Amino acid sequence: MDKKIIKYLGNPLITQVLIEFENCNMSVKELRLRLPDVPQATLYRYVKKLYQEDILKIVDEKQNRGSVEKIYSLNVELKKNDVEELNTITPKSYYEMFSEFTLGLLAEFSDYSKNEDANVLKDGSGFSLVPIYATAEELVEYGKSISKILEPALIRKSENQDRHNIAIVVTPPRKDN
């Protein structure tokens, strides 16, 4: 995975934007159709930021009623299971990545808490902590199993479905005394 996008992976919304661009090239207008719950101004701001950081690139420009519609594409590789790269991340960098990740989650919960009509039970929000015992290899297998379970939910099948983010955090190992 390209190191310049790591700082954005803590923001679930930007992560979703990156995932959409991984699937195909598109304009911000087309991105808006894929992410209808996200304000248009927010999408334009994120796309501009990602373009300025050279994470997105313009691959085409189309004339559209007197304006130019830019078609963007990812300019970095998202999927790369490079164990060596993970081994080069310093503990401080890892902490910074995790901090960005948790700040993104905090921002989502902050936005939610400002909604007067929020109903935690009805909206399906929640969080939990479960201590487990596992080797690193077992954790990888558990992660694959969870991904397989969630795979059908990655595509919106109905207008009645709302987008939720499921964040999975595996803490560093802790030795019991």
Side-chain angles (χ1 to χ4, degrees):
M1 183 176 303
D2 194 298
K3 286 183 167 86
K4 61 184 158 188
I5 69 165
I6 288 175
K7 69 180 177 181
Y8 292 111
L9 296 180
N11 181 321
L13 197 51
I14 291 181
T15 301
Q16 185 63 40
V17 168
L18 290 169
I19 289 168
E20 292 299 331
F21 277 109
E22 182 180 33
N23 295 328
C24 66
N25 301 342
M26 69 186 92
S27 66
V28 178
K29 183 179 176 183
E30 293 166 319
L31 179 64
R32 175 86 168 101
L33 294 174
R34 291 171 173 260
L35 301 172
D37 298 335
V38 182
Q40 183 173 332
T42 300
L43 290 176
Y44 273 101
R45 189 172 56 251
Y46 286 162
V47 167
K48 180 180 179 183
K49 182 187 296 189
L50 294 169
Y51 174 73
Q52 290 171 337
E53 295 264 348
D54 204 31
I55 293 168
L56 292 178
K57 63 183 175 181
I58 297 172
V59 293
D60 196 11
E61 293 184 359
K62 296 180 181 177
Q63 285 292 101
N64 188 6
R65 296 184 185 153
S67 65
V68 177
E69 186 175 41
K70 296 174 183 169
I71 308 299
Y72 295 89
S73 171
L74 269 183
N75 198 31
V76 296
E77 185 178 0
L78 284 186
K79 291 182 179 175
K80 186 176 179 187
N81 295 325
D82 189 345
V83 175
E84 288 307 311
E85 185 177 327
L86 290 175
N87 284 332
T88 64
I89 294 175
T90 66
K92 184 176 187 231
S93 294
Y94 183 61
Y95 175 76
E96 289 168 359
M97 287 171 51
F98 184 72
S99 295
E100 290 289 327
F101 176 79
T102 55
L103 285 174
L105 290 175
L106 284 171
E108 278 197 45
F109 278 85
S110 175
D111 291 345
Y112 179 76
S113 70
K114 293 172 186 166
N115 180 356
E116 297 284 327
D117 299 325
N119 181 322
V120 175
L121 191 58
K122 181 180 167 233
D123 294 338
S125 184
F127 49 90
S128 65
L129 174 70
V130 178
I132 65 169
Y133 295 90
T135 65
E137 294 79 16
E138 290 169 331
L139 289 171
V140 169
E141 290 305 312
Y142 296 149
K144 288 178 184 176
S145 296
I146 292 168
S147 292
K148 186 172 176 109
I149 290 168
L150 294 175
E151 197 170 291
L154 296 177
I155 306 286
R156 187 178 198 175
K157 297 172 193 74
S158 160
E159 290 296 319
N160 296 332
Q161 293 176 315
D162 295 319
R163 183 177 62 84
H164 296 264
N165 289 315
I166 294 180
I168 298 173
V169 175
V170 178
T171 61
R174 193 168 139 183
K175 303 294 181 196
D176 287 341
N177 293 333

